[in-house]
Amino acid sequence: GEIHINEFNAKKISEKELSRQIAYIPQSHNPVFNFSVFDMVLMGTTGQVSSVSSPGPKERQKVMDCLDRLGIQHLYNRSYTFISGGERQLVLIARAMAQNAKIMIMDEPTANLDYGNQIRVLEQIKSLSKEGYTIILSTHNPDQSYLYADRILAIYDGKLIADGNPKDVITTELIRTLYDVNITVESLHDDNIRFCVPDELISK
């Protein structure tokens, strides 16, 4: 009857402590004010200072380290509202990293990105998972799930219908159930799959 986040009871944990445990990355974010990239990421450190203090040299260095880690240090002085969608998403990930939270919840982080930026963001997310971060990510793209996830939970009509290794979970039956499309999932080799559309559905 209890939910625990690491050793903390979810009902009793403070907002500040929660921010130290979990970081949330939305699929898009449009701030009211025109903050710089540096200030956007610096906001992620607020849980590490008291309510009457300002971020100091340690927090500022943390920001630059996070930006450098994601390859966007050159954007630190740019306006957040005037960079590309892919760059914004990486800034939000950098802000989450600055929180020092080892659990990241991402809501369709590639939903509004072009194909190239989708790959760049997903590669960074996969890299973070290899460094010990727990990434909980929602997506409508089964190919992304197959290529980047270690475990898939498939939800349909409010119910969990599949749970397991991507190679076992991504099947023709699952894709047809989730998306109501007549396609076939074929395994090409251990690290890839192909979604095949029947010939009769392809325009001649």
Side-chain angles (χ1 to χ4, degrees), residues 94-110:
R95 184 177 69 178
M97 292 172 61
Q99 284 184 226
N100 283 336
K102 283 296 185 177
I103 301 172
M104 294 187 181
I105 299 177
M106 303 186 180
D107 179 17
E108 296 187 63
T110 64

Side-chain angles (χ1 to χ4, degrees), residues 56-190:
K58 178 182 177 182
E59 288 74 32
R60 292 176 178 275
Q61 184 58 50
K62 177 70 174 179
V63 170
M64 296 307 293
D65 290 344
C66 292
L67 292 173
D68 184 56
R69 164 66 182 75
L70 296 176
I72 53 173
Q73 189 175 26
H74 62 286
L75 299 174
Y76 81 99
N77 205 30
R78 293 273 303 276
S79 166
Y80 175 78
T81 57
F82 288 95
I83 58 177
S84 72
E87 289 168 338
R88 284 193 195 185
Q89 206 61 38
L90 290 175
V91 170
L92 294 177
I93 294 173
R95 184 177 69 178
M97 292 172 61
Q99 284 184 226
N100 283 336
K102 283 296 185 177
I103 301 172
M104 294 187 181
I105 299 177
M106 303 186 180
D107 179 17
E108 296 187 63
T110 64
N112 301 307
L113 305 182
D114 62 35
Y115 185 74
N117 278 319
Q118 287 182 30
I119 298 300
R120 281 184 277 274
V121 168
L122 288 167
E123 289 289 347
Q124 292 292 350
I125 292 171
K126 185 65 176 179
S127 179
L128 289 173
S129 74
K130 292 179 180 179
E131 294 176 16
Y133 287 86
T134 296
I135 311 292
I136 302 172
L137 183 153
S138 66
T139 179
H140 290 290
N141 296 318
D143 51 335
Q144 290 183 3
S145 301
Y146 187 91
L147 291 171
Y148 294 98
D150 298 306
R151 177 182 176 186
I152 291 176
L153 300 176
I155 298 174
Y156 179 74
D157 198 24
K159 297 178 181 178
L160 181 66
I161 61 171
D163 175 7
N165 185 294
K167 294 176 184 178
D168 300 325
V169 169
I170 300 294
T171 63
T172 295
E173 293 73 22
L174 180 72
I175 298 303
R176 290 181 178 180
T177 298
L178 289 175
Y179 302 103
D180 192 26
V181 289
N182 183 27
I183 66 168
T184 301
V185 177
E186 295 182 357
S187 177
L188 299 180
H189 48 73
D190 288 342

